Amino acid sequence: MTMLFKMTLALSLLGTAAFAADSPKQVLDRHVAAIQKGDVDALMADYADNAIVLAPKGIVTPATHTTDGPDVFVGKKNARKLFVTLTNKDNIAGVRSMKSHYENLSGGVTLMHWVQFPGTAKEVDGVDVFVIRGGKVAYQAVTVDPPKK
């Protein structure tokens, strides 16, 4: 009976660990690694099916157009279009040069401060807002700061 109890306890502990949602940092570490590799499938694995992603107007044609403000990508399938563009041959160099750090706020909200081509004339930076629920990105707003003069 003791052996059965130990096996049941071990399986329950393993099950708890297997179903525990990853932290925002773990999700974003995977996000950055996947996008820098250009691995859109791995990147999208951390997005909820009904995720909403906002991005600066005009990067790629979104599913939902707004007259003013950012482009809106509703659902994982539509958000994928943005990341396919961000990892294509014209944009991958900037993505691969990206340095980032996180600022955790409350309620699963994390700011990701990022810079591409740091220290060069091509430097661009911004802050993305992520809302992560149950180990999945539910919402992301991509912001790009105006170029420095």
Side-chain angles (χ1 to χ4, degrees), residues 8-57:
T8 303
L9 179 62
L11 287 173
S12 69
L13 291 174
L14 286 172
T16 302
F19 292 108
D22 289 338
S23 71
K25 181 182 182 321
Q26 290 169 311
V27 172
L28 293 176
D29 283 347
R30 279 195 308 267
H31 174 85
V32 171
I35 199 166
Q36 288 182 323
K37 289 179 192 170
D39 187 345
V40 178
D41 290 335
L43 179 73
M44 298 313 300
D46 283 320
Y47 281 76
D49 290 338
N50 61 348
I52 297 172
V53 179
L54 306 179
K57 188 169 279 311

Side-chain angles (χ1 to χ4, degrees), residues 61-137:
T61 304
T64 305
H65 295 280
T66 57
T67 54
D68 293 323
D71 287 334
V72 180
F73 300 85
V74 178
K76 185 188 255 189
K77 181 179 175 182
N78 289 312
R80 181 182 183 86
K81 296 174 191 175
L82 174 65
F83 296 110
V84 166
T85 298
L86 291 177
T87 58
N88 72 19
K89 65 179 177 54
D90 296 327
N91 297 308
I92 194 68
V95 171
R96 286 188 175 142
S97 74
M98 184 173 68
K99 304 293 181 209
S100 61
H101 68 276
Y102 316 129
E103 180 181 349
N104 291 316
L105 305 178
S106 63
V109 177
T110 302
L111 304 180
M112 182 175 77
H113 301 265
W114 56 267
V115 60
Q116 292 180 351
F117 302 113
T120 71
K122 294 171 30 175
E123 182 174 310
V124 61
D125 60 11
V127 179
D128 288 11
V129 178
F130 286 87
V131 176
I132 299 173
R133 298 280 185 256
K136 297 286 185 182
V137 176

